Amino acid sequence: MSYIQQSFSVQFEYKVFFTEHLFDPSNPVFSGFLDSRAEKDIRKKLLFIVDDGVTKHHDTLQEQITAYCSGLDNYELVQDIIVVPGGEASKNDLQLFYWLVNEIDQHAIDRHSYVVAIGGGSVLDLVGYVAAVSHRGIKHIRIPTTVLSQNDSGVGVKNGINYHGKKNFLGTFAPPAAVFNDAHYLTTLDERDWRSGMIEAVKVALIKDAAFFEWMEAHAEELSVGESKSLQYLIRRCAELHIQHIGGAGDPFESGSSRPLDFGHWSAHKLEQLTDFELRHGEAVSIGIAMDSVYSWLTGLLDADSLERIIQLLKKLRLPLYHPLLEIEDDASPIMAGLEEFREHLGGRLTIALLEGVGKGKEVHSIDNATLRKAVNMLRDKW
């Protein structure tokens, strides 16, 4: 046998900055990062792509960006700040994807330049994918504007769009150059959005950090009304736990089948699709966590007291526990198709995260339909 073997590793590093009023002239966080990345004799471009939901609530944002960037050395702002539709619809629109790729081409954005995305998780996913596939990889900066994107999706390494009705079917693993969490954007969120965004903190606490779960129990009243100090701590701790897992679990690009951070997500992704994305992602995950927690108890993994604590916290945070589309009449029920789609998305064998206790996840490789039906019935009838 004759062959040549190649082996190399690539170091990835990025920072998640926590700040407020990022584009205020007196705030040096964004300019300081860019200065640290400046290269002698190379003038880099900045192309901003902004969620239209952000521009509606922050109507001077484009002027702020223009004024702020006018003072940057070694950087040239592309004057055409691009505004795109927000929400999951942006990830369902292939023509929007192609249009943004064309904008990269038209503005001559090269691999030394930056694409800067400002918006919720869907827009960040879309723009990250556009950047990752253009020129085989343009640097992108994320500025998340929702609780969900600041504490979870926006601080990770995934990008993608939906295809053929399947969530994130097209995508890449491409870490951002940096993430800037600006707390001011949270002040204009719809209540439904900031509330549902908290579920990712509940999720990561349940599988990794019992003390964080206890903190949420103790501060549930403040969190339920969006009290700023508590919400900021929740976001930071949740982001920290997600980053620790991505960098420290040995599989940052998910080449294996293990997905502990997807606890509650197998049914959530399907519920989003079945409701034509009327359900927010966080709302669907809350329902998925409730169902998988009850299932964990029914199979003897989770004790009754822990289950009750989980349900009560979700209720105190005013997050949903049930949706009629969960109903399982037979193996061909729509929600059950989510199991196979989840396995296909993971690759390899089915791997579902369940709970052995608060702060302790456990992976299983099969789901019993009859037991799952009992879990659904309990959520519908008991709570």
Side-chain angles (χ1 to χ4, degrees):
M1 184 185 299
S2 176
Y3 63 89
I4 298 173
Q5 181 167 319
Q6 170 70 283
S7 178
F8 62 87
S9 60
V10 179
Q11 177 72 27
F12 289 100
E13 179 180 293
Y14 61 93
K15 291 182 173 67
V16 179
F17 297 91
F18 293 84
T19 187
E20 197 162 357
H21 299 288
L22 183 63
F23 296 111
D24 187 291
S26 64
N27 190 331
V29 174
F30 191 68
S31 59
F33 165 78
L34 291 175
D35 286 344
S36 72
R37 296 297 188 94
E39 298 177 59
K40 187 178 180 181
D41 300 325
I42 297 178
R43 190 163 179 80
K44 304 181 180 183
K45 291 183 178 181
L46 300 173
L47 175 65
F48 279 79
I49 303 175
V50 186
D51 187 322
D52 68 353
V54 179
T55 61
K56 288 174 184 174
H57 291 97
H58 303 268
D59 55 6
T60 63
L61 176 60
Q62 296 185 60
E63 290 79 3
Q64 291 173 16
I65 292 171
T66 300
Y68 189 95
C69 292
S70 66
L72 298 175
D73 295 326
N74 301 310
Y75 289 91
E76 174 189 344
L77 174 67
V78 174
Q79 292 302 311
D80 296 333
I81 295 175
I82 299 170
V83 178
V84 297
E88 197 71 24
S90 66
K91 293 176 63 173
N92 294 327
D93 188 347
L94 269 179
Q95 292 308 307
L96 178 59
F97 163 74
Y98 289 125
W99 179 69
L100 289 176
V101 170
N102 188 60
E103 290 295 300
I104 297 282
D105 179 40
Q106 292 297 312
H107 292 293
I109 305 301
D110 59 32
R111 288 166 60 89
H112 290 283
S113 299
Y114 291 93
V115 177
V116 185
I118 305 178
S122 295
V123 167
L124 300 186
D125 279 355
L126 166 66
V127 176
Y129 184 49
V130 168
V133 300
S134 300
H135 294 305
R136 295 180 180 164
I138 295 170
K139 300 178 184 70
H140 72 286
I141 293 171
R142 295 179 182 157
I143 304 176
T145 59
T146 64
V147 173
L148 188 66
S149 57
Q150 289 194 5
N151 70 11
D152 180 6
S153 62
V155 303
V157 298
K158 299 178 186 178
N159 311 278
I161 59 175
N162 305 330
Y163 186 67
H164 284 174
K166 294 182 179 180
K167 193 172 177 71
N168 300 321
F169 187 85
L170 299 177
T172 61
F173 291 94
V179 180
F180 296 88
N181 277 349
D182 184 339
H184 178 63
Y185 290 118
L186 306 181
T187 63
T188 56
L189 285 179
D190 179 270
E191 179 181 346
R192 201 175 159 196
D193 287 320
W194 63 255
R195 187 182 304 286
S196 62
M198 293 190 291
I199 192 60
E200 296 294 351
V202 177
K203 173 207 72 179
V204 75
L206 282 172
I207 59 176
K208 285 187 170 291
D209 191 340
F212 185 31
F213 186 86
E214 291 168 3
W215 178 89
M216 281 187 278
E217 289 180 303
H219 294 82
E221 184 175 348
E222 301 101 280
L223 292 170
S224 71
V225 295
E227 191 273 321
S228 178
K229 184 178 179 180
S230 295
L231 193 59
Q232 283 304 301
Y233 177 82
L234 176 143
I235 289 170
R236 187 174 185 120
R237 181 57 182 154
C238 182
E240 184 178 33
L241 288 166
H242 277 87
I243 288 173
Q244 286 175 356
H245 177 83
I246 292 167
D251 189 20
F253 291 173
E254 297 183 350
S255 56
S257 296
S258 176
R259 301 287 193 281
L261 292 183
D262 279 340
F263 173 55
H265 281 58
W266 74 263
S267 58
H269 287 171
K270 194 63 181 177
L271 274 176
E272 287 181 85
Q273 179 193 345
L274 291 172
T275 63
D276 197 23
F277 298 98
E278 188 278 329
L279 268 183
R280 303 288 205 275
H281 175 71
E283 293 168 338
V285 172
S286 177
I287 293 166
I289 284 175
M291 182 172 70
D292 286 352
S293 297
V294 175
Y295 183 92
S296 297
W297 173 72
L298 287 171
T299 56
L301 290 174
L302 185 67
D303 65 274
D305 288 344
S306 294
L307 173 61
E308 189 63 27
R309 288 173 63 196
I310 294 166
I311 296 297
Q312 290 307 315
L313 178 60
L314 295 177
K315 290 177 69 174
K316 287 176 182 177
L317 297 179
R318 291 187 280 170
L319 291 167
L321 304 175
Y322 169 79
H323 192 282
L325 285 170
L326 283 182
E327 295 295 335
I328 302 169
E329 298 175 2
D330 52 45
D331 293 352
S333 292
I335 196 66
M336 296 307 298
L339 275 175
E340 176 55 25
E341 290 177 12
F342 193 70
R343 186 210 62 76
E344 179 185 326
H345 187 64
L346 297 178
R349 64 177 176 171
L350 178 69
T351 303
I352 299 292
L354 296 176
L355 292 177
E356 285 188 311
V358 172
K360 188 176 181 182
K362 178 182 175 62
E363 293 183 340
V364 300
H365 303 290
S366 63
I367 293 289
D368 178 71
N369 290 9
T371 306
L372 194 64
R373 187 179 294 112
K374 290 180 182 178
V376 170
N377 292 342
M378 283 186 65
L379 288 175
R380 182 193 61 210
D381 300 334
K382 183 173 181 179
W383 290 291

